[in-house]
Amino acid sequence: KSKDGSYPCVVCCCRKKCLLFNDVVLIVAVLHTGFSKRAKSFEMILIGRFLEGIGAGRTPHYSMLM
């Protein structure tokens, strides 16, 4: 965190870009989880759930910052 309470990604670029990048991470995670049944791959479920956790953990930090 920087001295004003913001995270480095939000400080170097605007909040909208950080949220859009986070949305891309979440879309990739949902696609991994969704196509795992068709591919019959348990590993894809794990990767998708891992990325969903990262995306869900980062969203509140970006959305509450001014």
Side-chain angles (χ1 to χ4, degrees), residues 4-8 10-11 15 59-66:
D4 63 348
S6 299
Y7 284 82
V10 178
V11 172
R15 183 174 64 171
T59 300
H61 300 297
Y62 297 148
S63 61
M64 290 190 293
L65 295 175
M66 297 299 234

Side-chain angles (χ1 to χ4, degrees), residues 8-63:
C9 179
V10 178
V11 172
C12 72
C13 57
C14 64
R15 183 174 64 171
K16 184 176 180 180
K17 288 181 185 178
C18 292
L19 285 170
L20 288 174
F21 176 73
N22 197 40
D23 288 343
V24 170
V25 171
L26 288 172
I27 288 171
V28 169
V30 167
L31 289 174
H32 262 25
T33 307
F35 285 117
S36 65
K37 186 173 183 180
R38 174 176 263 183
K40 296 183 174 110
S41 173
F42 181 71
E43 291 81 10
M44 286 180 70
I45 295 174
L46 293 177
I47 292 170
R49 294 291 292 175
F50 179 73
L51 290 174
E52 286 172 5
I54 289 174
R58 289 172 50 166
T59 300
H61 300 297
Y62 297 148
S63 61

